[in-house]
Every structure is written in C-alpha cells, then in structure tokens.
Amino acid sequence: MMTDIIEKLKAESYRKNDNVVIPFESIKIISEEYKTPVKSIEIELLENGLIPERYERNIGTYGISGQLILLKSKILIVGCGGLGGWNIEILARAGIGYLRLVDGDRFEPHNLNRQIIATENDLYKPKALVAAKRVKNINSGIEAEACSCMLDESTAQGLVDGMDLAIDALDNNRSRFHLFQVCKEKGIPVVHGAIGGFVGQLKVVMPGESHPLEALGNDAPDKGIEVKLGNPPQTPALIATLQANEAIKLLLKKEELLTDHLLWIDLEHNEWMRLKL
C-alpha cells in the first residue's frame, strides 16, 4: 500500500532548488484516502528522498536525513509555561515526531504576559491539554501526549520512559531534581533552562554527568531568582529558543553542545558568558 501512496504523491510533486517536493494538501488527502497517519507517509517520503512541503524550508539546515531523525524522535517537555510553551512551539514546527507534554497547572491571568500558549480564551484550562491542542494545530502529523500531572518522585519514571531526551522547562527545583535523577539513571540527556528578570541560563546535561543540583542536595532552594526578579516575556522566549536549538543539535549529533559549560545571559547588559562548572 505504501508503494502506491508514494507513487501517487510523486505524480503530484514539483521541483524546487533541486529537491522533489510533495504538496502539503496532497499528503493530507492521501492520508485520509488510505487511512494512513501523515507522519508515516512523511517518513516514507523522506526515506525515498522526497520532501514534504511542510519541511521544505528545514532541509537546507537539517538535510533530508536530519529531518527524518527528527520525525522519528521523542522529546519530553516538562513544564508548558514560559520556557515550555516556546520549546513546544519550535519543536512542533521543526517536526519532532512525538512530544510528551507535562504540566499539572492551569493557565492563570498572570501567565498571559509571557507564555505563548496562554490566551484569554484558554484561561483556567489545563496547560498540558491546551499545549497538545496547539501542537496539533501547528502540525497535525506529529503526536502530542498531554500529561496533566506534576513530575515528582512517583511520576518521574513513567514520564521519562521511552524518551530520547528531556527539556527542563520547570519553575521549581524539587521537580527538577527528580527529572535530573531519573534521566541520569536511564541515560537520557536533559536540556536545562531557567530564567529570572533579564537573566537566563541553560546547559545540556549528558547521561552520566553530574547535574546542576547534585552538589546542593537538600540545600537547593525550591524557587529561583524569578521570585524576586519577575518573569518578563523576552527572557523565556530567548532561553527556550536556545534550549530547542540544543535539543535539535543533540538529536542530529552535532558536536558543539553546551555540555561542559553553563551559558549565562544577561539581556539587560547584553552579556553572554560560558561558565565552567
């Protein structure tokens, strides 16, 4: 059946910059006609050197093989607020095939200033469910699993299972500690991010490495500097963009990763520093 699908779609293809591109609408129609998931069709197309129109502008950066890797990847995003929302937005558009979205909170009016998924129409609705709906509106071909729960000692194992990497978009160190510990045990990298006021930081924690909270143990404060400095819109947008970029680089096995250093950014004074931990 898949051979028939590919042949039908090839007949509707067009050439652009030496690439054979398959129209977006053609894929949707064939998916419905053959009752076959869009993602399965897009994977098959890429494996045959054909480019789904949705990803045509990604190919110059990721390559066909890279886009295929992303479509076959699974990412856990813990926190669907300021950092998490922007990560979700970018990774859905990049074509990550499976996103597990974790957040036990609901959107509140004070989220509207910075959380891209928060809208007035979605106030008081579960963040994870709204985030999953947002993903499907952006890219109906990929899978979005909504987990309306908090990541804690009892849920961490199950939430991390089966994932290729995790995005730390949390706002508390208690949950962050459990995420780091479980990912370390399971050999899963974590892309850490945190913000407060004009300041943000991020780091890639590779399997087997000590994580940023390990040395502090029980002395780590539950909340960070954002309690005093606030949460403006621009800082989480930037830090999350860098997090998503590191996640994509991890999946594509790029060499330059923020593994040995923590990137610390002060947007007020335009200072970017790589801090050796």
Side-chain angles (χ1 to χ4, degrees):
M1 182 179 69
M2 194 60 79
T3 302
D4 293 340
I5 289 174
I6 299 303
E7 289 304 314
K8 278 193 173 186
L9 289 173
K10 280 177 69 175
E12 299 183 30
S13 67
Y14 62 91
R15 285 195 166 271
K16 187 173 181 180
N17 300 326
D18 296 324
N19 292 320
V20 180
V21 181
I22 308 300
F24 172 80
E25 293 297 340
S26 299
I27 295 172
K28 297 279 283 186
I29 291 168
I30 285 288
S31 171
E32 292 177 8
E33 180 182 342
Y34 283 83
K35 305 292 188 247
T36 303
V38 168
K39 186 172 76 169
S40 299
I41 294 173
E42 290 178 337
I43 287 173
E44 191 72 22
L45 288 170
L46 289 164
E47 288 178 340
N48 282 271
L50 306 170
I51 300 171
E53 186 178 24
R54 171 190 295 283
Y55 300 119
E56 186 260 323
R57 296 299 179 96
N58 284 357
I59 299 303
T61 304
Y62 306 148
I64 290 177
S65 60
Q67 189 64 61
L68 191 56
I69 289 170
L70 299 186
L71 264 179
K72 292 181 176 181
S73 296
K74 297 181 177 183
I75 291 182
L76 169 68
I77 301 177
V78 190
C80 299
L83 289 171
W86 286 102
N87 270 288
I88 291 163
E89 184 82 10
I90 293 167
L91 295 172
R93 294 182 187 278
I96 303 301
Y98 189 103
L99 296 173
R100 180 174 290 164
L101 312 174
V102 180
D103 202 308
D105 287 337
R106 296 171 181 266
F107 284 116
E108 303 286 345
H110 61 79
N111 299 143
L112 293 170
N113 79 310
R114 70 195 181 283
Q115 299 186 11
I116 189 172
I117 296 176
T119 67
E120 292 182 8
N121 289 334
D122 289 322
L123 289 178
Y124 314 113
K125 295 179 183 178
K127 290 184 179 182
L129 293 177
V130 175
K133 182 180 178 181
R134 173 70 176 173
V135 170
K136 300 305 285 187
N137 285 334
I138 293 170
N139 189 340
S140 61
I142 64 178
E143 298 174 74
E145 179 189 2
C147 301
S148 294
C149 65
M150 305 304 291
L151 187 143
D152 56 27
E153 193 172 6
S154 65
T155 62
Q157 293 279 346
L159 292 172
V160 170
D161 277 348
M163 298 294 103
D164 295 309
L165 64 87
I167 301 283
D168 165 19
L170 288 156
D171 64 355
N172 72 90
N173 285 331
R174 188 181 298 108
S175 295
R176 187 172 276 133
F177 185 86
H178 292 307
L179 175 64
F180 284 146
Q181 285 293 97
V182 172
C183 285
K184 184 177 181 180
E185 293 167 9
K186 292 181 177 291
I188 295 171
V190 181
V191 183
H192 159 70
I195 70 108
F198 284 106
V199 176
Q201 67 182 44
L202 68 147
K203 186 187 188 304
V204 176
V205 182
M206 295 300 288
E209 291 181 351
S210 295
H211 58 73
L213 295 177
E214 206 158 6
L216 295 175
N218 293 329
D219 294 329
D222 190 42
K223 292 287 186 179
I225 58 173
E226 71 273 11
V227 175
K228 291 185 178 180
L229 300 182
N231 311 82
Q234 70 274 22
T235 315
L238 173 62
I239 298 301
T241 297
L242 296 173
Q243 280 185 285
N245 186 55
E246 290 298 300
I248 290 168
K249 286 160 58 183
L250 265 166
L251 294 171
L252 299 182
K253 295 182 168 35
K254 300 293 184 181
E255 293 183 2
E256 275 295 319
L257 294 167
L258 284 168
T259 51
D260 295 330
H261 297 78
L262 180 141
L263 181 60
W264 185 89
I265 301 171
D266 179 348
L267 288 173
E268 183 177 9
H269 302 99
N270 293 319
E271 293 180 347
W272 295 54
M273 292 188 287
R274 291 167 66 99
L275 306 177
K276 185 75 174 177
L277 298 180

PDB file of all heavy atoms in Angstrom, residues 55-81:
ATOM      1  N   TYR A  55       8.181  20.700   5.345  1.00  0.00           N
ATOM      2  CA  TYR A  55       9.557  20.731   5.829  1.00  0.00           C
ATOM      3  C   TYR A  55      10.541  21.247   4.786  1.00  0.00           C
ATOM      4  O   TYR A  55      11.758  21.194   5.008  1.00  0.00           O
ATOM      5  CB  TYR A  55       9.972  19.325   6.285  1.00  0.00           C
ATOM      6  CG  TYR A  55       9.105  18.792   7.394  1.00  0.00           C
ATOM      7  CD1 TYR A  55       8.361  17.623   7.224  1.00  0.00           C
ATOM      8  CD2 TYR A  55       8.999  19.461   8.604  1.00  0.00           C
ATOM      9  CE1 TYR A  55       7.545  17.141   8.236  1.00  0.00           C
ATOM     10  CE2 TYR A  55       8.189  18.982   9.627  1.00  0.00           C
ATOM     11  CZ  TYR A  55       7.463  17.825   9.434  1.00  0.00           C
ATOM     12  OH  TYR A  55       6.656  17.357  10.442  1.00  0.00           O
ATOM     13  N   GLU A  56      10.036  21.774   3.692  1.00  0.00           N
ATOM     14  CA  GLU A  56      10.917  22.189   2.588  1.00  0.00           C
ATOM     15  C   GLU A  56      11.945  23.227   3.045  1.00  0.00           C
ATOM     16  O   GLU A  56      13.103  23.191   2.636  1.00  0.00           O
ATOM     17  CB  GLU A  56      10.056  22.725   1.437  1.00  0.00           C
ATOM     18  CG  GLU A  56      10.842  23.059   0.184  1.00  0.00           C
ATOM     19  CD  GLU A  56      11.119  24.546   0.070  1.00  0.00           C
ATOM     20  OE1 GLU A  56      10.244  25.342   0.445  1.00  0.00           O
ATOM     21  OE2 GLU A  56      12.226  24.898  -0.377  1.00  0.00           O
ATOM     22  N   ARG A  57      11.539  24.142   3.928  1.00  0.00           N
ATOM     23  CA  ARG A  57      12.473  25.178   4.396  1.00  0.00           C
ATOM     24  C   ARG A  57      13.399  24.679   5.513  1.00  0.00           C
ATOM     25  O   ARG A  57      14.315  25.400   5.921  1.00  0.00           O
ATOM     26  CB  ARG A  57      11.693  26.413   4.867  1.00  0.00           C
ATOM     27  CG  ARG A  57      10.891  27.114   3.770  1.00  0.00           C
ATOM     28  CD  ARG A  57      11.777  27.628   2.656  1.00  0.00           C
ATOM     29  NE  ARG A  57      11.018  28.278   1.607  1.00  0.00           N
ATOM     30  CZ  ARG A  57      10.821  29.596   1.518  1.00  0.00           C
ATOM     31  NH1 ARG A  57      11.318  30.396   2.437  1.00  0.00           N
ATOM     32  NH2 ARG A  57      10.120  30.099   0.520  1.00  0.00           N
ATOM     33  N   ASN A  58      13.139  23.494   6.044  1.00  0.00           N
ATOM     34  CA  ASN A  58      14.041  22.905   7.049  1.00  0.00           C
ATOM     35  C   ASN A  58      15.233  22.201   6.413  1.00  0.00           C
ATOM     36  O   ASN A  58      16.288  22.047   7.036  1.00  0.00           O
ATOM     37  CB  ASN A  58      13.295  21.866   7.900  1.00  0.00           C
ATOM     38  CG  ASN A  58      12.379  22.475   8.939  1.00  0.00           C
ATOM     39  OD1 ASN A  58      12.321  23.691   9.088  1.00  0.00           O
ATOM     40  ND2 ASN A  58      11.658  21.636   9.649  1.00  0.00           N
ATOM     41  N   ILE A  59      15.050  21.713   5.187  1.00  0.00           N
ATOM     42  CA  ILE A  59      16.001  20.763   4.601  1.00  0.00           C
ATOM     43  C   ILE A  59      17.381  21.370   4.402  1.00  0.00           C
ATOM     44  O   ILE A  59      18.396  20.693   4.602  1.00  0.00           O
ATOM     45  CB  ILE A  59      15.446  20.205   3.270  1.00  0.00           C
ATOM     46  CG1 ILE A  59      14.129  19.464   3.514  1.00  0.00           C
ATOM     47  CG2 ILE A  59      16.462  19.285   2.606  1.00  0.00           C
ATOM     48  CD1 ILE A  59      14.215  18.337   4.521  1.00  0.00           C
ATOM     49  N   GLY A  60      17.459  22.641   4.034  1.00  0.00           N
ATOM     50  CA  GLY A  60      18.766  23.265   3.858  1.00  0.00           C
ATOM     51  C   GLY A  60      19.591  23.268   5.130  1.00  0.00           C
ATOM     52  O   GLY A  60      20.825  23.272   5.085  1.00  0.00           O
ATOM     53  N   THR A  61      18.925  23.256   6.276  1.00  0.00           N
ATOM     54  CA  THR A  61      19.605  23.256   7.573  1.00  0.00           C
ATOM     55  C   THR A  61      19.809  21.848   8.112  1.00  0.00           C
ATOM     56  O   THR A  61      20.919  21.480   8.527  1.00  0.00           O
ATOM     57  CB  THR A  61      18.788  24.069   8.601  1.00  0.00           C
ATOM     58  OG1 THR A  61      18.564  25.383   8.096  1.00  0.00           O
ATOM     59  CG2 THR A  61      19.525  24.168   9.930  1.00  0.00           C
ATOM     60  N   TYR A  62      18.751  21.035   8.114  1.00  0.00           N
ATOM     61  CA  TYR A  62      18.819  19.701   8.719  1.00  0.00           C
ATOM     62  C   TYR A  62      19.220  18.615   7.725  1.00  0.00           C
ATOM     63  O   TYR A  62      19.739  17.567   8.139  1.00  0.00           O
ATOM     64  CB  TYR A  62      17.461  19.310   9.321  1.00  0.00           C
ATOM     65  CG  TYR A  62      16.873  20.281  10.303  1.00  0.00           C
ATOM     66  CD1 TYR A  62      15.486  20.423  10.414  1.00  0.00           C
ATOM     67  CD2 TYR A  62      17.677  21.054  11.134  1.00  0.00           C
ATOM     68  CE1 TYR A  62      14.923  21.314  11.326  1.00  0.00           C
ATOM     69  CE2 TYR A  62      17.120  21.954  12.036  1.00  0.00           C
ATOM     70  CZ  TYR A  62      15.743  22.079  12.126  1.00  0.00           C
ATOM     71  OH  TYR A  62      15.180  22.959  13.024  1.00  0.00           O
ATOM     72  N   GLY A  63      18.955  18.843   6.436  1.00  0.00           N
ATOM     73  CA  GLY A  63      19.133  17.782   5.454  1.00  0.00           C
ATOM     74  C   GLY A  63      17.968  16.805   5.508  1.00  0.00           C
ATOM     75  O   GLY A  63      17.217  16.769   6.491  1.00  0.00           O
ATOM     76  N   ILE A  64      17.818  16.012   4.473  1.00  0.00           N
ATOM     77  CA  ILE A  64      16.737  15.030   4.449  1.00  0.00           C
ATOM     78  C   ILE A  64      16.918  14.012   5.567  1.00  0.00           C
ATOM     79  O   ILE A  64      15.972  13.667   6.280  1.00  0.00           O
ATOM     80  CB  ILE A  64      16.672  14.325   3.074  1.00  0.00           C
ATOM     81  CG1 ILE A  64      16.189  15.312   2.006  1.00  0.00           C
ATOM     82  CG2 ILE A  64      15.736  13.113   3.128  1.00  0.00           C
ATOM     83  CD1 ILE A  64      16.160  14.748   0.601  1.00  0.00           C
ATOM     84  N   SER A  65      18.148  13.543   5.760  1.00  0.00           N
ATOM     85  CA  SER A  65      18.406  12.549   6.808  1.00  0.00           C
ATOM     86  C   SER A  65      18.146  13.132   8.190  1.00  0.00           C
ATOM     87  O   SER A  65      17.639  12.450   9.087  1.00  0.00           O
ATOM     88  CB  SER A  65      19.840  12.028   6.714  1.00  0.00           C
ATOM     89  OG  SER A  65      20.774  13.092   6.877  1.00  0.00           O
ATOM     90  N   GLY A  66      18.471  14.418   8.378  1.00  0.00           N
ATOM     91  CA  GLY A  66      18.233  15.059   9.661  1.00  0.00           C
ATOM     92  C   GLY A  66      16.751  15.221   9.952  1.00  0.00           C
ATOM     93  O   GLY A  66      16.297  14.975  11.070  1.00  0.00           O
ATOM     94  N   GLN A  67      15.979  15.624   8.940  1.00  0.00           N
ATOM     95  CA  GLN A  67      14.536  15.756   9.134  1.00  0.00           C
ATOM     96  C   GLN A  67      13.910  14.405   9.465  1.00  0.00           C
ATOM     97  O   GLN A  67      12.986  14.315  10.280  1.00  0.00           O
ATOM     98  CB  GLN A  67      13.884  16.328   7.877  1.00  0.00           C
ATOM     99  CG  GLN A  67      12.415  16.700   8.057  1.00  0.00           C
ATOM    100  CD  GLN A  67      12.203  17.812   9.053  1.00  0.00           C
ATOM    101  OE1 GLN A  67      12.687  18.932   8.877  1.00  0.00           O
ATOM    102  NE2 GLN A  67      11.475  17.531  10.130  1.00  0.00           N
ATOM    103  N   LEU A  68      14.433  13.371   8.870  1.00  0.00           N
ATOM    104  CA  LEU A  68      13.949  12.012   9.151  1.00  0.00           C
ATOM    105  C   LEU A  68      14.215  11.639  10.606  1.00  0.00           C
ATOM    106  O   LEU A  68      13.356  11.066  11.290  1.00  0.00           O
ATOM    107  CB  LEU A  68      14.637  11.034   8.205  1.00  0.00           C
ATOM    108  CG  LEU A  68      14.108   9.607   8.124  1.00  0.00           C
ATOM    109  CD1 LEU A  68      12.631   9.576   7.773  1.00  0.00           C
ATOM    110  CD2 LEU A  68      14.911   8.821   7.095  1.00  0.00           C
ATOM    111  N   ILE A  69      15.406  11.993  11.102  1.00  0.00           N
ATOM    112  CA  ILE A  69      15.737  11.732  12.508  1.00  0.00           C
ATOM    113  C   ILE A  69      14.765  12.447  13.428  1.00  0.00           C
ATOM    114  O   ILE A  69      14.263  11.879  14.406  1.00  0.00           O
ATOM    115  CB  ILE A  69      17.184  12.169  12.809  1.00  0.00           C
ATOM    116  CG1 ILE A  69      18.184  11.218  12.140  1.00  0.00           C
ATOM    117  CG2 ILE A  69      17.440  12.234  14.315  1.00  0.00           C
ATOM    118  CD1 ILE A  69      19.618  11.706  12.177  1.00  0.00           C
ATOM    119  N   LEU A  70      14.474  13.714  13.125  1.00  0.00           N
ATOM    120  CA  LEU A  70      13.575  14.490  13.976  1.00  0.00           C
ATOM    121  C   LEU A  70      12.179  13.883  14.000  1.00  0.00           C
ATOM    122  O   LEU A  70      11.550  13.790  15.063  1.00  0.00           O
ATOM    123  CB  LEU A  70      13.508  15.940  13.499  1.00  0.00           C
ATOM    124  CG  LEU A  70      14.820  16.742  13.517  1.00  0.00           C
ATOM    125  CD1 LEU A  70      14.556  18.201  13.157  1.00  0.00           C
ATOM    126  CD2 LEU A  70      15.525  16.643  14.855  1.00  0.00           C
ATOM    127  N   LEU A  71      11.687  13.456  12.847  1.00  0.00           N
ATOM    128  CA  LEU A  71      10.343  12.869  12.787  1.00  0.00           C
ATOM    129  C   LEU A  71      10.250  11.559  13.562  1.00  0.00           C
ATOM    130  O   LEU A  71       9.169  11.174  14.009  1.00  0.00           O
ATOM    131  CB  LEU A  71       9.935  12.635  11.337  1.00  0.00           C
ATOM    132  CG  LEU A  71       9.075  13.705  10.663  1.00  0.00           C
ATOM    133  CD1 LEU A  71       8.782  13.325   9.224  1.00  0.00           C
ATOM    134  CD2 LEU A  71       7.780  13.939  11.417  1.00  0.00           C
ATOM    135  N   LYS A  72      11.355  10.887  13.723  1.00  0.00           N
ATOM    136  CA  LYS A  72      11.370   9.608  14.439  1.00  0.00           C
ATOM    137  C   LYS A  72      11.715   9.788  15.919  1.00  0.00           C
ATOM    138  O   LYS A  72      11.806   8.798  16.658  1.00  0.00           O
ATOM    139  CB  LYS A  72      12.366   8.648  13.798  1.00  0.00           C
ATOM    140  CG  LYS A  72      11.961   8.173  12.406  1.00  0.00           C
ATOM    141  CD  LYS A  72      12.986   7.199  11.841  1.00  0.00           C
ATOM    142  CE  LYS A  72      12.560   6.629  10.496  1.00  0.00           C
ATOM    143  NZ  LYS A  72      13.558   5.668   9.951  1.00  0.00           N
ATOM    144  N   SER A  73      11.916  11.029  16.368  1.00  0.00           N
ATOM    145  CA  SER A  73      12.383  11.289  17.730  1.00  0.00           C
ATOM    146  C   SER A  73      11.231  11.558  18.693  1.00  0.00           C
ATOM    147  O   SER A  73      10.134  11.947  18.287  1.00  0.00           O
ATOM    148  CB  SER A  73      13.334  12.491  17.732  1.00  0.00           C
ATOM    149  OG  SER A  73      14.505  12.203  16.982  1.00  0.00           O
ATOM    150  N   LYS A  74      11.539  11.350  19.989  1.00  0.00           N
ATOM    151  CA  LYS A  74      10.561  11.573  21.056  1.00  0.00           C
ATOM    152  C   LYS A  74      11.180  12.467  22.123  1.00  0.00           C
ATOM    153  O   LYS A  74      12.248  12.160  22.650  1.00  0.00           O
ATOM    154  CB  LYS A  74      10.127  10.250  21.685  1.00  0.00           C
ATOM    155  CG  LYS A  74       9.417   9.308  20.713  1.00  0.00           C
ATOM    156  CD  LYS A  74       8.983   8.027  21.412  1.00  0.00           C
ATOM    157  CE  LYS A  74       8.208   7.119  20.473  1.00  0.00           C
ATOM    158  NZ  LYS A  74       7.719   5.891  21.155  1.00  0.00           N
ATOM    159  N   ILE A  75      10.504  13.563  22.427  1.00  0.00           N
ATOM    160  CA  ILE A  75      11.012  14.516  23.415  1.00  0.00           C
ATOM    161  C   ILE A  75       9.994  14.705  24.534  1.00  0.00           C
ATOM    162  O   ILE A  75       8.793  14.863  24.286  1.00  0.00           O
ATOM    163  CB  ILE A  75      11.339  15.874  22.760  1.00  0.00           C
ATOM    164  CG1 ILE A  75      12.559  15.733  21.835  1.00  0.00           C
ATOM    165  CG2 ILE A  75      11.604  16.946  23.820  1.00  0.00           C
ATOM    166  CD1 ILE A  75      12.994  17.044  21.182  1.00  0.00           C
ATOM    167  N   LEU A  76      10.497  14.714  25.753  1.00  0.00           N
ATOM    168  CA  LEU A  76       9.705  15.023  26.933  1.00  0.00           C
ATOM    169  C   LEU A  76       9.912  16.496  27.272  1.00  0.00           C
ATOM    170  O   LEU A  76      11.052  16.941  27.438  1.00  0.00           O
ATOM    171  CB  LEU A  76      10.161  14.150  28.108  1.00  0.00           C
ATOM    172  CG  LEU A  76       9.630  14.509  29.501  1.00  0.00           C
ATOM    173  CD1 LEU A  76       8.136  14.249  29.583  1.00  0.00           C
ATOM    174  CD2 LEU A  76      10.380  13.726  30.574  1.00  0.00           C
ATOM    175  N   ILE A  77       8.829  17.261  27.345  1.00  0.00           N
ATOM    176  CA  ILE A  77       8.902  18.660  27.754  1.00  0.00           C
ATOM    177  C   ILE A  77       8.177  18.786  29.086  1.00  0.00           C
ATOM    178  O   ILE A  77       6.959  18.596  29.162  1.00  0.00           O
ATOM    179  CB  ILE A  77       8.276  19.592  26.707  1.00  0.00           C
ATOM    180  CG1 ILE A  77       9.001  19.437  25.358  1.00  0.00           C
ATOM    181  CG2 ILE A  77       8.352  21.050  27.172  1.00  0.00           C
ATOM    182  CD1 ILE A  77       8.414  20.260  24.229  1.00  0.00           C
ATOM    183  N   VAL A  78       8.932  19.099  30.132  1.00  0.00           N
ATOM    184  CA  VAL A  78       8.358  19.180  31.480  1.00  0.00           C
ATOM    185  C   VAL A  78       8.155  20.647  31.830  1.00  0.00           C
ATOM    186  O   VAL A  78       9.112  21.392  32.051  1.00  0.00           O
ATOM    187  CB  VAL A  78       9.259  18.498  32.520  1.00  0.00           C
ATOM    188  CG1 VAL A  78       8.511  18.394  33.849  1.00  0.00           C
ATOM    189  CG2 VAL A  78       9.684  17.118  32.050  1.00  0.00           C
ATOM    190  N   GLY A  79       6.889  21.043  31.833  1.00  0.00           N
ATOM    191  CA  GLY A  79       6.524  22.437  32.017  1.00  0.00           C
ATOM    192  C   GLY A  79       6.020  23.008  30.707  1.00  0.00           C
ATOM    193  O   GLY A  79       6.739  22.987  29.709  1.00  0.00           O
ATOM    194  N   CYS A  80       4.788  23.486  30.685  1.00  0.00           N
ATOM    195  CA  CYS A  80       4.187  24.026  29.452  1.00  0.00           C
ATOM    196  C   CYS A  80       3.898  25.515  29.585  1.00  0.00           C
ATOM    197  O   CYS A  80       2.967  26.040  28.989  1.00  0.00           O
ATOM    198  CB  CYS A  80       2.892  23.272  29.120  1.00  0.00           C
ATOM    199  SG  CYS A  80       3.118  21.509  28.829  1.00  0.00           S
ATOM    200  N   GLY A  81       4.712  26.206  30.399  1.00  0.00           N
ATOM    201  CA  GLY A  81       4.509  27.619  30.640  1.00  0.00           C
ATOM    202  C   GLY A  81       5.402  28.504  29.795  1.00  0.00           C
ATOM    203  O   GLY A  81       5.393  28.437  28.567  1.00  0.00           O
TER     204      GLY A  81
END
